[in-house]
Amino acid sequence: MRNAVPQEIEITKINESKISQVDFENLAFGKVFTDHMFICDYVNGEWQTPKIVPYGPLTLDPSARVFHYGQAVFEGMKAYKDDQGDTFLFRPDENFKRINKSAERLAMPEFPEEYFFDGLNTLLKLDDQWIKSGFGNSLYIRPFVIATQPSVSASEADEYRFMIICSPAQSYYSGDVSVLVAEKFSRSASGGFGYAKAAGNYAGQFYPTKLAKEQGYQQIIWTDSNTHEYVEEAGTMNVFFRINDTLLTAPVSDRILDGITRKSLIALAEKQGYNVEVRPIKVSEVVDAFNNGSLKEIFGAGTAAVVSPVKAFGYKGEHYELEKQENSYASYFKKSLMDIQYNKAEDSFGWRTKV
């Protein structure tokens, strides 16, 4: 991360911080935002002068194409503060690469690397007091791009807005979750844009998840769109299965998000000598493993939740309760990853980046 504030960024500071109004002991995820936000517009084929301004509402034309054709992509990142008061990001280069990969799939312009990192670095330093020390505390960072050109003609826009907003966070999920294996609905399809962090991917999940909640489940394990025989993701996370002492997860594809937490857990597990298999996994294999006692754990992995254990799953009208594991893989990998993120352990991978 660069330390100097670039001359290109125009900064307008708030008159008075709202931080004194925030109860940091009782934060609802994603509902409280810091004092400032980063904005950069794309007009006439060029990204304009980036700005940092007080957090507040936007004014957009009702015909802005994001409202009509869904050109919107985003990222999820976190900043962590250690016990000495230093702030770190976790693999931010991966977020930068992925948001541009997502943008390309939706015919949106690539955002410059210098603007991304200088803007993020400056914003985090400006709102540093919002980043609290303490294991589990973090600042959730949401970069996103939307199509702002006023027009309802069905084609890609010529004007866009790149933004970064930040929200202080604690744990995303409280406790273990129950999931329902999808038999009808799909998160994405081959040839689509499931690998992109596009807004529409998430909008399409809400209705099936609503139906699952009516049956007593919190999330869905998504299956492939062709046969619904293979597991792919869990809710908004990548998903792992522990069968005996082997850790299994599905390979990424044009349907499955290349999760940064996912690839980090795989690297951690392999370095520690765990047996890891990245391959297609049938739902029937998971059910058989449960029935013969070899299915030990299921857990989701993502930026917001880090690692979210699954206590039960439903499939074809049957409910399967997993036994609580002593010294679970989920708790071990979560602590190992967070120790790196919070500067409590050596980072032999070079993932931690100081702000």
Side-chain angles (χ1 to χ4, degrees):
M1 295 287 285
R2 299 165 182 82
N3 292 318
V5 176
Q7 295 299 313
E8 293 84 358
I9 298 180
E10 294 182 1
I11 300 175
T12 304
K13 295 183 180 180
I14 54 157
N15 293 323
E16 184 178 354
S17 177
K18 60 191 177 189
I19 194 169
S20 61
Q21 305 168 24
V22 177
D23 180 3
F24 282 90
E25 300 300 319
N26 296 285
L27 289 170
F29 181 80
K31 293 187 176 181
V32 174
F33 296 91
T34 63
D35 289 324
H36 298 91
M37 59 186 185
F38 176 88
I39 296 177
C40 190
D41 289 319
Y42 183 86
V43 182
N44 297 325
E46 293 182 346
W47 289 103
Q48 306 299 302
T49 301
K51 302 175 181 179
I52 291 178
V53 300
Y55 182 92
L58 304 178
T59 299
L60 292 176
D61 195 288
S63 64
R65 289 190 182 180
V66 65
F67 299 137
H68 304 274
Y69 303 112
Q71 271 188 293
V73 299
F74 68 94
E75 270 301 314
M77 310 171 62
K78 281 183 178 179
Y80 311 87
K81 185 170 284 186
D82 67 11
D83 294 335
Q84 289 71 48
D86 292 323
T87 298
F88 298 89
L89 293 169
F90 183 74
R91 308 188 75 174
D93 54 320
E94 294 288 341
N95 296 102
F96 170 73
K97 288 187 287 187
R98 193 170 62 184
I99 197 169
N100 276 337
K101 182 179 179 182
S102 298
E104 179 184 34
R105 181 60 181 82
L106 270 68
M108 305 167 84
E110 180 177 334
F111 194 66
E113 183 175 5
E114 182 178 358
Y115 280 10
F116 180 87
F117 284 105
D118 287 345
L120 179 56
N121 196 32
T122 305
L123 182 62
L124 292 178
K125 288 185 174 181
L126 201 58
D127 284 344
D128 175 75
Q129 61 182 332
W130 289 82
I131 313 171
K132 300 301 183 182
S133 296
F135 215 54
N137 295 327
S138 63
L139 186 72
Y140 185 79
I141 304 165
R142 173 55 62 88
F144 64 99
V145 193
I146 58 174
T148 53
Q149 182 186 9
S151 174
V152 293
S153 67
S155 62
E156 72 273 18
D158 293 328
E159 298 175 6
Y160 298 89
R161 175 164 289 181
F162 184 101
M163 298 187 64
I164 304 174
I165 56 177
C166 302
S167 176
Q170 294 173 310
S171 296
Y172 188 67
Y173 293 114
S174 57
D176 299 353
V177 298
S178 298
V179 297
L180 182 66
V181 178
E183 299 176 50
K184 174 184 177 182
F185 294 102
S186 298
R187 178 187 171 275
S188 61
S190 297
F193 50 92
Y195 68 88
K197 284 189 76 71
N201 283 338
Y202 297 81
Q205 295 184 32
F206 296 153
Y207 177 67
T209 303
K210 176 178 177 289
L211 297 180
K213 288 178 178 177
E214 291 172 357
Q215 298 182 53
Y217 297 93
Q218 287 83 46
Q219 291 290 346
I220 289 178
I221 287 186
W222 301 103
T223 51
D224 71 288
S225 59
N226 293 329
T227 67
H228 296 290
E229 292 182 359
Y230 293 89
V231 296
E232 296 200 328
E233 294 192 17
T236 58
M237 302 174 287
N238 296 112
V239 63
F240 287 82
F241 301 86
R242 175 189 171 189
I243 296 180
N244 288 321
D245 290 331
T246 297
L247 196 61
L248 301 174
T249 192
V252 295
S253 65
D254 58 2
R255 303 184 309 276
I256 299 177
L257 185 73
D258 187 10
I260 296 165
T261 305
R262 170 192 176 276
K263 66 177 68 177
S264 301
L265 292 181
I266 292 171
L268 275 171
E270 290 177 339
K271 184 169 184 179
Q272 293 293 331
Y274 289 85
N275 187 30
V276 181
E277 293 183 11
V278 180
R279 61 170 175 81
I281 306 162
K282 281 193 170 185
V283 180
S284 60
E285 179 183 358
V286 176
V287 173
D288 288 345
F290 177 90
N291 289 331
N292 65 33
S294 61
L295 179 64
K296 306 301 183 185
E297 295 179 66
I298 304 174
F299 56 87
T303 298
V306 188
V307 172
S308 182
V310 171
K311 66 180 179 180
F313 68 95
Y315 182 60
K316 292 188 179 298
E318 297 292 330
H319 184 77
Y320 303 86
E321 288 276 347
L322 296 171
E323 289 187 13
K324 195 84 170 177
Q325 297 292 315
E326 293 287 333
N327 303 315
S328 69
Y329 281 17
S331 60
Y332 172 77
F333 289 127
K334 181 173 185 176
K335 184 179 185 305
S336 297
L337 193 60
M338 291 178 70
D339 279 345
I340 294 175
Q341 292 169 336
Y342 286 87
N343 195 27
K344 291 180 176 290
E346 179 188 356
D347 177 18
S348 59
F349 299 95
W351 291 337
R352 196 168 53 224
T353 302
K354 189 175 181 179
V355 174

